[in-house]
Amino acid sequence: MARQREVDFSFWNEQWKQNYIEREQRIRSNPLIDYWDKRARDFSLMRKSNDYDFGRKVYAALSGVLHPDATMLDIGAGPGSFTVPFAQKIKFVTAVEPSKGMADVLRENVKEAGVENITVIEALLEDLPQDPSHDFQFDLVAISLVLWMFPDVWPRILQMERYAKGSCVIVAGIPDWKNPGVTGNTDVEEFQVLYNMLISQGRFPHVDIIDYKCERTVADEIACRELMYEQYEQDLTLEAEENIRREVVAGAKDGMCLIASRSAVIRWDPREVVLKD
Ligand SMILES: C[S@@+](CC[C@H](N)C(=O)[O-])C[C@H]1O[C@@H](n2cnc3c(N)ncnc32)[C@H](O)[C@@H]1O
């Protein structure tokens, strides 16, 4: 039993590393923090659309384990996709965000929403305390669309668990197989790997699949696609600019682009880990 678990874990752990390497070979370069600084404005518009549709759908999936007195650690919080809608429902949110551009936009969004029960730590996940004190424990530890940037994911999951006195949650993107993006549609989906890794390590994850939508103006969509093109493919040429513009305009309606996405909300309680021999 223990041997089988080890074999399963090595398989999925290797799969994660393989996916990371394959993506790295396909793209121009992985995003560093300055890329997230540049994406802050457009990411914010996207996440705020439909009254924080994404964050509210994730909240709904987690409502069974949350209560008004709950505290949350939101790692890689971005523009406040979860921080804002969760702070409106629970006691306190601690947002961790290393990009100055994102952290500034997050503070603006918090102010705009009129919520005060939040704090922002401008740091990388790997720089958070490894041996946390009693004060650095949360009812919910969440990370959304961040783990894909780590070649070695398991140490980060264990780190999340050290901050949890309740549940942990990972929100992982599910690629659109009809329209693979430049960041890479991998054969084995991120959530499938993470789910199996957790199972092989005695966790009991629950998974909810959520669909959410956001809207952007044609100009914002073009600017975002140009940034992504430069990050993941190559320098922009006049031809590339024209192709992006044509594609965006063709998909727009009344000057707006509707973007439909799907994610897996993977939740488990680290206190329920069972590793029987
Ligand atoms: C795709 S965005 C996701 C934002 C938000 N969690 C969401 O789902 O809307 C990725 C975010 O992770 C942050 N990030 C990148 N590397 C990180 C790291 N090592 N530790 C913590 N956050 C990181 C980026 O600055 C960016 O805000």
Side-chain angles (χ1 to χ4, degrees), residues 45 64 69 84 120 149 177 227 233 238 241 251 266:
L45 286 174
D69 263 344
V84 171
V120 182
M149 287 178 273
W177 61 96
L227 265 176
E233 300 203 20
L238 280 176
E241 272 181 46
I266 309 166

Side-chain angles (χ1 to χ4, degrees), residues 36 43 47 54 76 78 81 97-98 124-126 144-146 150:
W36 296 113
F43 220 86
R47 290 302 193 230
F54 177 47
S81 322
E97 178 46 61
L124 296 162
L125 165 60
E126 49 279 38
S144 167
L145 309 178
V146 176
F150 289 93

Side-chain angles (χ1 to χ4, degrees), residues 72 77 91 113 143 150 199 205 207 220 261 273:
M72 175 195 198
K91 188 172 165 194
I143 193 159
F150 289 93
I199 293 266
V207 179
D220 286 334
S261 309
V273 175

